Amino acid sequence: MNALPGIFNYLVVVFLMMAGFYVVIAQGNLIKKLVGLGLFQASVFILYITMGNLAGGAAPIVTEG
């Protein structure tokens, strides 16, 4: 069960992608389709942010001195 926290973001991404895709395919209303596309787009952004994680990386903040 130790692997679950490591893949939690990917599970959220898959759930949002499937929900957004379902809304786009199943609904006939244009506004509902736009909401589905928004869900799908948010899941892609979360995926990109999750994949951008570096092991041992630090924020590029310059301190005085």
Side-chain angles (χ1 to χ4, degrees), residues 1-13:
M1 212 52 187
N2 291 338
L4 186 60
I7 63 168
F8 180 72
N9 286 357
Y10 295 110
L11 294 176
V12 170
V13 165

Side-chain angles (χ1 to χ4, degrees), residues 6-61:
I7 63 168
F8 180 72
N9 286 357
Y10 295 110
L11 294 176
V12 170
V13 165
V14 168
F15 176 76
L16 285 176
M17 275 190 179
M18 292 300 114
F21 188 65
Y22 173 75
V23 170
V24 169
I25 297 300
Q27 301 297 324
N29 190 351
L30 182 62
I31 301 299
K32 291 180 182 178
K33 285 186 184 232
L34 288 175
V35 169
L37 285 174
L39 277 174
F40 196 87
Q41 181 180 8
S43 70
V44 171
F45 288 154
I46 293 171
L47 177 67
Y48 288 159
I49 291 169
T50 300
M51 289 174 33
N53 187 12
L54 291 176
I61 299 174

